[in-house]
Amino acid sequence: MSTLLFLLHLSLSSLILSQSLTLPSDIAALQAFKASIKPTTIPSYSCLASWNFTSDPCSFPKVTHFTCGLTCTTTSNPFRVTQLTLDPAGYSGTLSPLVSRLTQLVHLDLSGNNFFGPIPASLSSLPNLQSLVLRSNSFSGPIPPSITNFRSLQTLDFAGNSLSGSLPNNLNSMMNLRRLDLSFNKLTWSLPKLPPNLLELAMKANSLSGSLNKSSFNGLTQLEVIELSQNSLSGTLESWFLLLPSLQQVDLANNSLTRVEISRPTDSDLVAVELGFNKIEGYVPKNLSFYPMLSSLSLRYNRLRGPIPLEFGKKQKLRRLYLDGNFLNGTPPAVFFSGETGVSGSLGDNCLQSCPGSSELCLKSQKPTSICRQAYGGGKPRAS
C-alpha cells in the first residue's frame, strides 16, 4: 500500500509540474526547501504551512495556498520566483543547497528562525541575488569563500549565528555590497580588505583581533557606519580612521585599543564616536572637539589622564559626553555646569576637582585621593 501511495504522489507531482505556470525547476527547488525543514516546527498559522504543492506556487489569487513567504514575477513565461522571505515562526532545519536553482531570486530572507548547519556554498551561484539575510538563526561553520562570487549582492546579513573562522580574503571583490552585518558570531583573525562601496560595516561581538589597518579601508569613500565593538582589536587607532570621508558613526567600545591618534579635520560628517571600555592611555584628544558635527563622544573606562580640554566646553553641538572611569584631573570646563550647553553624560569616577555634585554630570563620585596620587605618582602631569 505504501508503495502505491508513493507512486501516486510521484504521479501527482509530475502532473502538477507539467501543467504549472511556474518554471518546474523553481517548484522543485521550493519543494526541496520545505522538505529540509522539520515538519514539527511548521506552525499551522505560518507561511510554510500554506505551501501546498497541489497548487501552483505563483498562481493567483492566493486564497489558501502559498499565501505568503514568496514573491513571483508573472511577466515572464513561465513564472519565476524572485523573493523568498519567511516569517519568523521558529522553523528549524537545514538550508537546502537546491535553493540555488531559483536563478531569478533577488531577495532571500530567513531571519528570526532556527536554521542550522553550514551555509550552502551553492548560494553564490544565484546571479541576481541582491539581499541575503540569514540573521538570528543557528548557522555554523565558516563563511563559504564562494560567497565573494556574488556580483549583484547589496546586503549581506549573517548576524546572530554561530559562524566561525576568518573572513574570506577576497571580500573586496563584492563590488556592489553596501551593507555587511556579521555581528554576534564567532569570527576570528583580522579584517581583510573590505568591499569598496560599503555604506555600513557591522561585526560587533566576534573575536576579531589585531590592529585596524589602513589597507583594509583603502578606497572606502562612502562608508558611513562602523560597528566593531566587543572584539579583541588592539594597538593604535591611527589618525586616518576618523578622517574617512563619509564617516558618521563609529563604535569601537569593549576592545583592547591602547592609543588614539586624532588629527584635526578639514571637514567631517562624524556625529558619534564610542571608544569606551578599551585600554587607551594618554590625554583626552582635544582635536576631537574640532569635528564640526560631533554630538556624542564616549571615552569612558580607559586609562586617560590630565585635564579635560577647554575646547570641549566651546563645542556647541556636543550633547553626550562620557569620560567617566578614567584618571582625569584638574577642573572641568565651567560651561558644562552653566546650563548653556545642554551636555549630558558623566565625568564621574575620575580625579577631578570642583566637579559639582549638583550637576548630573558629576553624580558619580570621584576616585579616592589615594588612588589618584598613586596613579600620578604624587604629581600632576602637564597636558600636551
Side-chain angles (χ1 to χ4, degrees):
M1 180 63 70
S2 59
T3 303
L4 179 60
L5 289 174
F6 178 69
L7 291 173
L8 286 172
H9 174 74
L10 282 180
S11 299
L12 181 60
S13 296
S14 300
L15 181 63
I16 292 168
L17 289 173
S18 65
Q19 297 180 346
S20 64
L21 298 171
T22 305
L23 187 71
S25 60
D26 278 17
I27 297 177
L30 294 175
Q31 288 175 324
F33 174 78
K34 184 176 180 179
S36 67
I37 298 170
K38 298 176 182 178
T40 55
T41 66
I42 302 178
S44 59
Y45 56 81
S46 66
C47 286
L48 275 184
S50 74
W51 285 22
N52 187 320
F53 291 95
T54 59
S55 295
D56 188 289
C58 294
S59 64
F60 285 94
K62 297 178 180 293
V63 179
T64 57
H65 297 164
F66 296 98
T67 55
C68 57
L70 60 86
T71 303
C72 303
T73 176
T74 56
T75 56
S76 61
N77 186 15
F79 298 164
R80 302 298 307 274
V81 177
T82 57
Q83 182 168 322
L84 181 52
T85 303
L86 289 188
D87 46 335
Y91 306 118
S92 180
T94 57
L95 177 54
S96 172
L98 296 181
V99 170
S100 61
R101 294 185 180 178
L102 299 171
T103 55
Q104 292 301 308
L105 204 61
V106 177
H107 303 288
L108 176 59
D109 186 345
L110 309 179
S111 56
N113 285 290
N114 292 311
F115 284 87
F116 58 86
I119 295 172
S122 62
L123 289 181
S124 61
S125 64
L126 291 168
N128 300 297
L129 200 65
Q130 294 180 16
S131 66
L132 176 55
V133 181
L134 304 178
R135 69 180 297 125
S136 302
N137 279 283
S138 299
F139 288 105
S140 59
I143 296 174
S146 61
I147 212 81
T148 59
N149 293 336
F150 281 118
R151 291 295 177 263
S152 301
L153 201 67
Q154 297 176 19
T155 297
L156 177 62
D157 188 343
F158 291 167
N161 283 281
S162 296
L163 300 172
S164 58
S166 60
L167 296 167
N169 283 329
N170 56 337
L171 203 62
N172 63 309
S173 65
M174 304 178 74
M175 299 297 292
N176 288 304
L177 197 65
R178 307 292 274 168
R179 292 173 175 82
L180 175 62
D181 193 345
L182 303 174
S183 302
F184 298 100
N185 279 287
K186 301 175 182 178
L187 299 170
T188 55
W189 299 97
S190 56
L191 290 176
K193 187 168 175 55
L194 295 165
N197 292 306
L198 276 184
L199 292 177
E200 299 176 12
L201 170 67
M203 296 188 188
K204 177 179 183 177
N206 279 282
S207 296
L208 300 175
S209 59
S211 57
L212 291 169
N213 296 316
K214 190 174 183 179
S215 59
S216 299
F217 293 84
N218 265 347
L220 271 68
T221 58
Q222 302 174 66
L223 188 60
E224 297 176 353
V225 178
I226 299 176
E227 167 58 275
L228 294 172
S229 63
Q230 297 180 46
N231 280 284
S232 298
L233 299 170
S234 58
T236 300
L237 184 69
E238 298 176 349
S239 57
W240 59 265
F241 188 85
L242 294 186
L243 294 176
L244 289 168
S246 297
L247 200 56
Q248 297 178 19
Q249 300 176 48
V250 173
D251 190 349
L252 294 170
N254 294 91
N255 278 284
S256 297
L257 299 170
T258 53
R259 287 189 64 224
V260 291
E261 296 174 354
I262 309 295
S263 296
R264 188 183 295 205
T266 53
D267 188 27
S268 173
D269 293 325
L270 194 64
V271 173
V273 175
E274 170 59 85
L275 292 169
F277 298 95
N278 278 279
K279 301 175 182 178
I280 299 170
E281 299 183 343
Y283 301 107
V284 176
K286 67 180 180 181
N287 280 339
L288 281 169
S289 66
F290 296 107
Y291 280 77
M293 305 302 293
L294 189 66
S295 64
S296 178
L297 172 63
S298 172
L299 287 161
R300 63 193 321 200
Y301 290 93
N302 280 285
R303 300 171 182 176
L304 297 169
R305 298 169 173 242
I308 299 172
L310 293 175
E311 287 82 358
F312 283 97
K314 302 172 185 176
K315 185 166 176 51
Q316 295 182 350
K317 286 191 176 293
L318 193 62
R319 290 293 176 264
R320 297 175 70 252
L321 179 64
Y322 286 89
L323 299 176
D324 48 316
N326 287 283
F327 297 91
L328 303 177
N329 66 1
T331 302
V335 70
F336 284 166
F337 316 114
S338 66
E340 297 176 15
T341 62
V343 174
S344 64
S346 179
L347 306 178
D349 196 16
N350 277 292
C351 300
L352 296 169
Q353 294 85 46
S354 305
C355 198
S358 57
S359 170
E360 197 173 293
L361 288 168
C362 302
L363 287 180
K364 191 184 297 182
S365 61
Q366 301 295 309
K367 285 181 169 67
T369 303
S370 58
I371 292 178
C372 294
R373 284 177 178 167
Q374 185 178 2
Y376 284 106
K380 297 179 181 179
R382 292 176 299 168
S384 61

